[in-house]
Amino acid sequence: MQYTTYATGGSRIASVFAAYIAGDIPSAIPIKMSTEEECILLLLLHRQQQRRKRRDRRWYVRPLNTTRDRDGEFVSLVLPMRSLDEERHFQYFRMSAPKFDDLLSRVIRYLPDSHQNHRNPIGASQRLAVTLRYLATCIGLQALSASYKMGTSTVSGIVEEMCSAIWDALQGEFMAFPSRGQWQDMAEEFWRQWQFPLCVGAIDGKHVRLRAPARSGSDYYNYKGFFSIALMAAADANYRFIYVDVGAYGRESDGGVLGRSAFGSRLAEGNLNLPAPAVLPGTTTPSPNFFLGDEAFPLQVNLMRPYPGSNLQDRKRIYNYRQARARRVVENAFGILAARFRIFGRPIDCQPEKAVKIVKACVALHNFLASTERARYMPASFVDTTADTGEVQPGEWRQHVEGDRNMVDGPRCSVGRARPSQRAALVREQLADYFLSDAGVFPHQYNVLRLGTDQ
């Protein structure tokens, strides 16, 4: 219905509408209107009333926030901290001032220009500071908005907008899908650092807790008894994420999330462009390249999982120990992520769509800092290490996340207990034999037999 023509074309409705707006009701009453004209008039009056409500708010900027440029936290703390206290700057943002500037130069081109239309636009550096502070701490939006002297809805919008820009700016360089040559380099790094041959990455899944989404039913309600989204990821030997899949329903298992993802489909079909099968180091035995997963994943040619059961032969226990030792990289990657970005220390208080953007931004920042500021972001003491005896020494990140209930493991998947193919089982058997040979033995692997554990 083209009601706008009635309001602008000099019709009877236009005159009645003008009389109502001017408050001259008696002059409008004698005019008789059809039912259609009455409906159009009511719609116009309703829209006019909504415009008045928007105009009639108490203030454009809350009076307390008008001094943001003089005594807000960005001016009073962040700017002085850049030159006066480098250590505090890192603790505050999880990055140094030069790295903050580097990130800002990458992100700024992905930000919309809508803020320039505001009376007192908030600069990109301050918006980035607000977002990084929100991700690095457990602080709520209201407390953050009060310290930076902004409206709560303003801060919420800034965080969502900036998280999208961070992912767009960093994804191409620090989360790009590996080429065949890069897969080969990852496999060599796993062998050098973790003595596990032909492994290109370790896979695991976590549940990221969030508030109950409106009208979501039981889709996001997981087996732990709370609402969450699934975070599936693969990590390389240096604790960097190779791939992430964020946003699946919390009720799904790790194996189910992997199977439904594009990555999982390509993995099962052998379309990840992995290097051609190669021989195990020091032998003539050929083997494909593969990922490592835990019991939640199915055994596939390109995805190894531990031997199931408890009363296992020694060779199987040694294999499980060697796989658990190498797969520890993805556990550490998740732990470092949660320790550095404390937004994961509590349930994320937003809708799933926004939570996905927050998680993806944190993952991209993790890879960005692990690649460009590794010594400070995750020093040697921050990650798990192995002593000369072969015993694992817990990293400092575990102290930071102790007591957290947000990022938890997903449920086991029934498909993981399905009968594997003969070829996949043969690959695992060859690896188990290889770890007992002179070429593949790890000096401390037999300690696991004396300790009575596979971990």
Side-chain angles (χ1 to χ4, degrees):
M1 184 182 295
Q2 300 297 321
Y3 58 83
T4 55
T5 58
Y6 289 96
T8 59
S11 66
R12 294 190 304 165
I13 292 181
S15 62
V16 174
F17 181 68
Y20 270 80
I21 296 302
D24 190 8
I25 306 300
S27 65
I29 292 177
I31 299 177
K32 294 182 179 181
M33 294 183 294
S34 65
T35 303
E36 181 182 3
E37 290 174 327
E38 289 178 351
C39 291
I40 295 171
L41 179 59
L42 289 174
L43 177 60
L44 291 172
L45 291 173
H46 175 72
R47 290 200 168 190
Q48 181 67 18
Q49 185 181 19
Q50 294 301 313
R51 293 193 190 99
R52 282 179 174 173
K53 285 183 178 180
R54 286 195 292 269
R55 288 198 303 265
D56 292 343
R57 58 183 181 180
R58 287 181 293 174
W59 43 65
Y60 185 79
V61 177
R62 187 177 291 272
L64 189 63
N65 296 340
T66 57
T67 60
R68 178 177 64 237
D69 294 337
R70 297 196 303 272
D71 54 10
E73 187 163 329
F74 183 76
V75 175
S76 62
L77 176 63
V78 174
L79 294 182
M81 186 168 53
R82 292 174 58 86
S83 57
L84 297 178
D85 198 334
E86 183 179 354
E87 182 180 356
R88 177 72 182 278
H89 191 283
F90 178 83
Q91 294 173 350
Y92 190 91
F93 287 128
R94 303 299 189 253
M95 64 184 69
S96 63
K99 198 53 57 182
F100 180 97
D101 296 338
D102 182 14
L103 177 62
L104 179 62
S105 67
R106 296 170 183 269
V107 167
I108 196 168
R109 72 191 70 169
Y110 293 93
L111 295 174
D113 297 329
S114 57
H115 292 267
Q116 302 304 318
N117 299 325
H118 296 176
R119 298 180 190 176
N120 185 21
I122 300 172
S125 58
Q126 189 165 182
R127 283 183 274 159
L128 180 58
V130 168
T131 302
L132 292 179
R133 185 59 178 166
Y134 177 71
L135 300 180
T137 64
C138 291
I139 190 172
L141 287 176
Q142 288 187 341
L144 186 63
S145 63
S147 62
Y148 276 83
K149 294 201 168 184
M150 301 177 186
T152 304
S153 60
T154 300
V155 170
S156 178
I158 286 174
V159 168
E160 183 172 9
E161 178 185 274
M162 188 61 72
C163 283
S164 296
I166 289 173
W167 173 259
D168 293 339
L170 301 181
Q171 184 269 338
E173 181 176 353
F174 299 98
M175 288 295 301
F177 199 78
S179 63
R180 176 166 291 190
Q182 290 172 324
W183 285 126
Q184 181 68 39
D185 293 340
M186 292 176 187
E188 293 175 358
E189 195 69 12
F190 257 101
W191 173 246
R192 186 182 69 84
Q193 292 196 42
W194 302 101
Q195 294 76 52
F196 209 102
L198 303 183
C199 172
V200 294
I203 295 180
D204 199 4
K206 296 290 184 181
H207 281 277
V208 179
R209 190 168 186 163
L210 69 163
R211 74 179 184 192
R215 297 181 295 277
S216 64
S218 61
D219 288 338
Y220 293 97
Y221 195 75
N222 64 40
Y223 79 113
K224 291 282 190 178
F226 58 83
F227 291 87
S228 66
I229 55 175
L231 167 59
M232 179 67 57
D236 64 13
N238 293 307
Y239 314 106
R240 293 174 300 197
F241 293 106
I242 306 169
Y243 136 88
V244 291
D245 185 281
V246 191
Y249 293 140
R251 60 181 171 82
E252 295 192 51
S253 65
D254 288 350
V257 173
L258 179 65
R260 291 176 178 83
S261 68
F263 180 88
S265 299
R266 293 176 63 182
L267 176 64
E269 296 167 2
N271 294 329
L272 283 181
N273 199 29
L274 296 178
V279 296
L280 296 173
T283 72
T284 58
T285 304
S287 175
N289 290 266
F290 47 77
F291 291 86
L292 298 179
D294 60 13
E295 298 86 352
F297 298 96
L299 179 64
Q300 300 174 357
V301 173
N302 298 120
L303 177 59
M304 294 290 103
R305 57 165 287 173
Y307 285 102
S310 54
N311 297 319
L312 299 176
Q313 301 173 349
D314 288 350
R315 66 185 286 275
K316 292 184 177 181
R317 291 178 59 196
I318 290 175
Y319 171 85
N320 284 0
Y321 163 73
R322 294 288 293 270
Q323 173 162 337
R325 181 174 177 271
R327 206 189 66 82
R328 192 175 290 270
V329 296
V330 70
E331 179 187 356
N332 275 252
F334 278 128
I336 296 166
L337 178 71
R340 289 306 192 194
F341 298 100
R342 298 302 295 146
I343 185 70
F344 294 110
R346 58 175 174 80
I348 300 179
D349 189 14
C350 63
Q351 291 299 307
E353 295 77 12
K354 185 176 178 180
V356 168
K357 296 178 182 179
I358 290 173
V359 174
K360 290 171 66 175
C362 290
V363 169
L365 288 170
H366 169 88
N367 275 18
F368 171 67
L369 296 170
S371 300
T372 62
E373 203 170 26
R374 179 186 176 92
R376 172 169 280 178
Y377 178 72
M378 52 178 185
S381 60
F382 207 71
V383 300
D384 292 349
T385 56
T386 303
D388 294 339
T389 60
E391 186 178 359
V392 175
Q393 304 294 327
E396 293 177 1
W397 66 263
R398 296 182 181 275
Q399 302 173 15
H400 292 268
V401 302
E402 187 176 0
D404 286 359
R405 296 183 301 164
N406 190 8
M407 293 180 66
V408 300
D409 294 329
R412 298 295 181 253
C413 179
S414 59
V415 72
R417 295 189 292 270
R419 187 177 182 85
S421 67
Q422 291 184 352
R423 187 184 175 199
L426 176 61
V427 172
R428 187 169 62 181
E429 290 293 313
Q430 289 176 338
L431 289 169
D433 291 336
Y434 176 71
F435 292 143
L436 298 179
S437 68
D438 293 338
V441 69
F442 177 63
H444 307 293
Q445 67 185 22
Y446 294 103
N447 292 343
V448 70
L449 303 180
R450 292 193 296 270
L451 294 174
T453 176
D454 296 345
Q455 300 299 319

